[in-house]
Amino acid sequence: MGYVLQKEGFSKLIETLGKQYRLFAPVLKKGEGRYTDVDVVRYDLVSSSDQIELEKKSDYAFKEFLTPLSETLFFFAEGNVKEADLDMRPVIIFLRSCDMHAVKRLDQIYLENGSEKDWFYARRRGLVSFALIGCSHSFENCFCVDMKSNVTKDGYLFSVDQIDGKIYSDLKDDGLKDLFEANAESVQDVTPQYVKENQVHVTIPDKVDNSIYKHPLWDEYTSRCIGCGRCNFVCPTCTCYTMQDVYYTENGKMGERRRVGASCMVDGYTNVAGGGQYRKTHGERMRFKVLHKIFDFRRRFGYDMCVGCGRCDDVCPEYISYSNIINKVNEAAKAGKEVQ
Ligand code: SF4
Ligand code: SF4
């Protein structure tokens, strides 16, 4: 069932939804970007339709609700442990098709990667439903078509496409039917818009030879990459974290444990006891990141980790293109054993 809403109807719909759900959506933040007077689109809680950015691609991913950059997991005091409280009101996250595909990757890592589910992730995940933002065109650096993340047919409550000032919505959830009927100007079949062609293309090799680990292609990134980790923090599928214990008392018996986002590109990520470090150079770290996203994850779960959102290319201060690297890996894989 599909609906067409005027701006006012959509505004009322969001207002009403906001009484039942917390709405987490891309928001244009003026002047809050990387440099002075540069805008950024990042996720935040919204209370009105005007706050939701439906035109621009978000610079940061939706994942900050499911995997916050810093999250207190539990408190401890003299042998007693209590998990941190969480606001248990339901949440709707507004996101595009590539990010819907990224949710599957997050679920895979936190819920289906071993015998135990991640309790803290599962608690947040259980609160979340989705609203799909349609894509009328490809954005710069996207390669969702080649990664097969450009289309989403289910898993959302409703979709949102803004066309000529009206909102076109494909409603999947019958529970919201009355709300849509009360605010829509007409009923018609709606198919969410999706990207059919990107400017950027990648070819992912079916397999890579062991020679890829010593291939000279990585050397370039030892000098170009500055190890800032931005590419990881904007990525909707990066899931690495570290733990921090914060002590309130000198005897270390009272405090809290936090889960904090980590990046495989920054110093310290592979430090081990005794002063060792597995991947010292930025080229080695790049190799790890790229092969994890297009090879190692697939070997374990049967599909690629990367969804082709292009955010890592958008954000890199050194203009390093991850999609270019994928294509270089493909060329190296074709050359196979001829490669050193
Ligand atoms: S690796 Fe880059 S293109 Fe792939 S999902 Fe992450 S941010 Fe998007
Ligand atoms: S954003 Fe660019 S410079 Fe920073 S760690 Fe990633 S690849 Fe390296």
Side-chain angles (χ1 to χ4, degrees):
M1 182 70 77
Y3 294 90
V4 182
L5 297 93
Q6 296 276 7
K7 198 165 177 274
E8 298 72 33
F10 184 57
S11 171
K12 280 193 192 140
L13 183 129
I14 292 297
E15 198 184 309
T16 310
L17 274 180
K19 291 177 184 151
Q20 189 184 344
Y21 296 91
R22 285 177 290 157
L23 307 175
F24 198 57
V27 174
L28 177 65
K29 310 242 176 194
K30 291 245 174 228
E32 294 183 29
R34 275 182 282 166
Y35 309 109
T36 312
D37 294 334
V38 172
D39 301 339
V40 67
V41 179
R42 25 186 342 157
Y43 273 77
D44 210 341
L45 292 169
V46 300
S47 54
S48 83
S49 59
D50 293 344
Q51 293 172 280
I52 305 175
E53 176 55 59
L54 292 173
E55 296 296 328
K56 295 180 164 57
K57 167 177 163 182
S58 69
D59 295 287
Y60 287 77
F62 67 94
K63 71 177 181 182
E64 285 174 51
F65 178 80
L66 287 169
T67 58
L69 205 50
S70 176
E71 177 182 23
T72 299
L73 301 183
F74 56 81
F75 300 92
F76 51 87
E78 304 289 346
N80 295 312
V81 173
K82 182 195 173 299
E83 68 269 14
D85 292 334
L86 183 68
D87 185 337
M88 296 302 283
R89 286 174 295 162
V91 177
I92 296 178
I93 299 180
F94 288 71
L95 76 190
R96 295 178 185 275
S97 178
C98 58
D99 283 348
M100 277 295 290
H101 286 258
V103 174
K104 178 179 170 185
R105 277 76 174 160
L106 298 183
D107 288 353
Q108 187 83 64
I109 290 293
Y110 282 99
L111 303 178
E112 309 292 339
N113 185 19
S115 56
E116 296 294 328
K117 294 183 191 309
D118 184 299
W119 187 88
F120 295 97
Y121 177 86
R123 183 168 67 153
R124 284 178 173 269
R125 183 70 176 85
L127 301 174
V128 171
S129 308
F130 301 100
L132 177 71
I133 303 174
C135 289
S136 61
H137 60 278
S138 175
F139 296 96
E140 193 180 1
N141 295 323
C142 296
F143 50 100
C144 54
V145 177
D146 288 343
M147 299 312 294
K148 299 184 178 55
S149 68
N150 55 324
V151 183
T152 293
K153 293 191 172 158
D154 46 37
Y156 54 88
L157 298 177
F158 60 91
S159 67
V160 181
D161 273 287
Q162 186 166 257
I163 304 170
D164 296 334
K166 292 185 183 179
I167 298 294
Y168 290 73
S169 196
D170 171 34
L171 181 64
K172 295 279 195 200
D173 183 76
D174 280 348
L176 297 176
K177 199 170 166 204
D178 289 347
L179 180 61
F180 271 80
E181 297 209 334
N183 291 296
E185 69 164 16
S186 61
V187 180
Q188 67 175 63
D189 282 343
V190 172
T191 303
Q193 292 179 291
Y194 63 93
V195 172
K196 298 175 186 67
E197 178 68 28
N198 303 124
Q199 282 189 333
V200 176
H201 289 282
V202 295
T203 305
I204 300 205
D206 289 336
K207 52 184 177 184
V208 288
D209 190 87
N210 277 346
S211 58
I212 199 70
Y213 296 104
K214 299 277 183 207
H215 196 283
L217 81 85
W218 307 113
D219 297 345
E220 172 187 343
Y221 304 102
T222 292
S223 53
R224 281 183 70 194
C225 171
I226 57 170
C228 65
R230 284 177 182 173
C231 48
N232 296 120
F233 290 114
V234 297
C235 176
T237 65
C238 275
T239 50
C240 287
Y241 60 81
T242 185
M243 290 295 186
Q244 289 178 354
D245 283 348
V246 179
Y247 301 112
Y248 303 157
T249 56
E250 279 186 9
N251 68 6
K253 290 191 173 174
M254 283 183 70
E256 64 184 76
R257 174 162 295 182
R258 293 179 190 160
R259 170 146 73 187
V260 181
S263 157
C264 57
M265 300 302 290
V266 304
D267 288 344
Y269 181 82
T270 60
N271 284 6
V272 290
Q277 197 181 8
Y278 285 115
R279 292 184 290 277
K280 285 195 178 70
T281 70
H282 295 158
E284 288 171 315
R285 297 174 198 176
M286 186 67 80
R287 182 196 67 206
F288 170 81
K289 182 185 77 172
V290 172
L291 293 183
H292 183 211
K293 289 198 181 280
I294 61 161
F295 183 60
D296 296 323
F297 187 95
R298 190 195 325 151
R299 211 161 40 161
R300 183 163 167 78
F301 300 117
Y303 60 98
D304 286 312
M305 187 180 193
C306 173
V307 293
C309 72
R311 289 188 179 98
C312 50
D313 285 19
D314 298 338
V315 81
C316 179
E318 299 299 311
Y319 303 105
I320 291 170
S321 167
Y322 168 71
S323 51
N324 262 342
I325 302 174
I326 294 177
N327 288 331
K328 285 183 190 175
V329 171
N330 185 52
E331 289 304 313
K334 278 199 290 189
K337 292 195 189 309
E338 295 161 28
V339 171
Q340 226 16 33

